[in-house]
């Protein structure tokens, strides 16, 4: 399944970039990433950057996370976070809007790993099953995560045991994810 995850992410990224090109006439744009260096930047405007995905140039592992918590991570999640450099991408899954978390640069990869460690530490303190977030939702209290035990994709309410399985695998989730269009 490790090979299918990067391919599914690549397919979604292509659909996302194509949607931007068709609707806006240029690569995906981000105001949030303006002024933050990245190999993804193809143009800088007054208040936004245009970006395209770039190959991941670091070792393809999340060893810092695994060492920090003495845990073995789902290979699909490792493959997801080490497949490419890209901006976060808006999409919908079963009609629910979300933002797929991506690694923007080599420096950002350190931040993402620190955030994953913090999330896993919180889960451990609460005696909850370990999960790894992959997307944010409109609610600050909900994230889309992968269950590290089963590999299922879930929507979980932070700080609680409330969760809902939405896909049997990360690959399935990415294949069903639809780019959020500019008109939406």
């Amino acid at each position: 399944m490790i090979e299918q995850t990067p391919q599914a992410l690549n397919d979604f990224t292509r659909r996302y970039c194509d949607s931007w090109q068709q609707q806006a006439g240029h690569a995906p744009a981000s105001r949030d990433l303006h002024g933050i260096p990245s190999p993804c930047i193809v143009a800088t405007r007054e208040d936004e950057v245009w970006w395209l995905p770039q190959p991941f140039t670091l070792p393809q592992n999340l060893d810092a996370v695994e060492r920090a918590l003495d845990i073995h991570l789902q290979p699909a999640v490792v493959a997801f976070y080490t497949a490419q450099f890209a901006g976060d991408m808006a999409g919908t899954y079963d009609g629910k809007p979300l933002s797929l978390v991506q690694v923007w640069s080599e420096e950002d990869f350190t931040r993402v790993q620190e955030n994953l460690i913090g999330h896993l530490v919180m889960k451990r303190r609460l005696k909850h099953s370990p999960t790894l977030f992959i997307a944010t939702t409109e609610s600050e209290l909900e994230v889309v995560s992968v269950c590290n035990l089963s590999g299922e994709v879930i929507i979980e309410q932070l700080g609680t045991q409330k969760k809902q399985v939405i896909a049997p695998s990360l690959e399935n989730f990415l294949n069903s994810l639809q780019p959020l269009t500019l008109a939406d």
Side-chain angles (χ1 to χ4, degrees):
M1 200 175 307
I2 197 164
E3 295 83 24
Q4 290 92 347
T5 299
Q7 186 59 53
L9 179 59
N10 181 54
D11 291 347
F12 174 75
T13 303
R14 184 181 33 75
R15 292 192 318 269
Y16 182 81
C17 291
D18 289 351
S19 177
W20 266 92
Q21 189 63 46
Q22 290 168 1
Q23 293 188 22
H26 56 75
S30 172
R31 292 178 189 270
D32 294 340
L33 297 171
H34 185 266
I36 304 172
S38 170
C40 301
I41 298 171
V42 295
T44 301
R45 299 293 181 249
E46 186 175 313
D47 60 350
E48 68 184 14
V49 293
W50 295 354
W51 62 268
L52 288 173
Q54 296 299 313
F56 193 79
T57 54
L58 297 169
Q60 295 184 312
N61 63 61
L62 293 173
D63 286 355
V65 178
E66 291 184 327
R67 278 192 313 269
L69 288 132
D70 193 25
I71 189 173
H72 181 71
L73 302 179
Q74 282 283 330
V77 175
V78 175
F80 172 80
Y81 277 116
T82 61
Q84 65 185 9
F85 291 119
D88 292 353
M89 295 178 277
T92 58
Y93 186 85
D94 200 22
K96 185 174 186 66
L98 55 88
S99 181
L100 206 58
V101 175
Q102 291 289 278
V103 175
W104 182 238
S105 64
E106 288 186 3
E107 294 76 26
D108 189 42
F109 187 57
T110 300
R111 181 192 61 82
V112 168
Q113 288 187 91
E114 289 169 352
N115 288 341
L116 287 168
I117 290 167
H119 179 79
L120 285 164
V121 166
M122 175 195 69
K123 299 298 279 183
R124 187 173 278 176
R125 269 196 213 124
L126 295 172
K127 296 183 175 28
H128 295 174
S129 297
T131 62
L132 300 145
F133 60 82
I134 56 165
T136 59
T137 67
E138 291 178 327
S139 169
E140 291 182 10
L141 300 175
E142 269 185 356
V143 292
V144 178
S145 298
V146 174
C147 175
N148 199 53
L149 302 177
S150 68
E152 295 171 320
V153 178
I154 62 172
I155 293 180
E156 64 178 325
Q157 195 163 6
L158 296 174
T160 73
Q161 291 275 34
K162 288 178 74 173
K163 61 186 174 196
Q164 174 190 3
V165 175
I166 59 171
S169 69
L170 185 48
E171 176 193 2
N172 178 278
F173 171 78
L174 292 169
N175 286 334
S176 299
L177 189 61
Q178 295 302 312
L180 193 60
T181 61
L182 300 175
D184 292 339

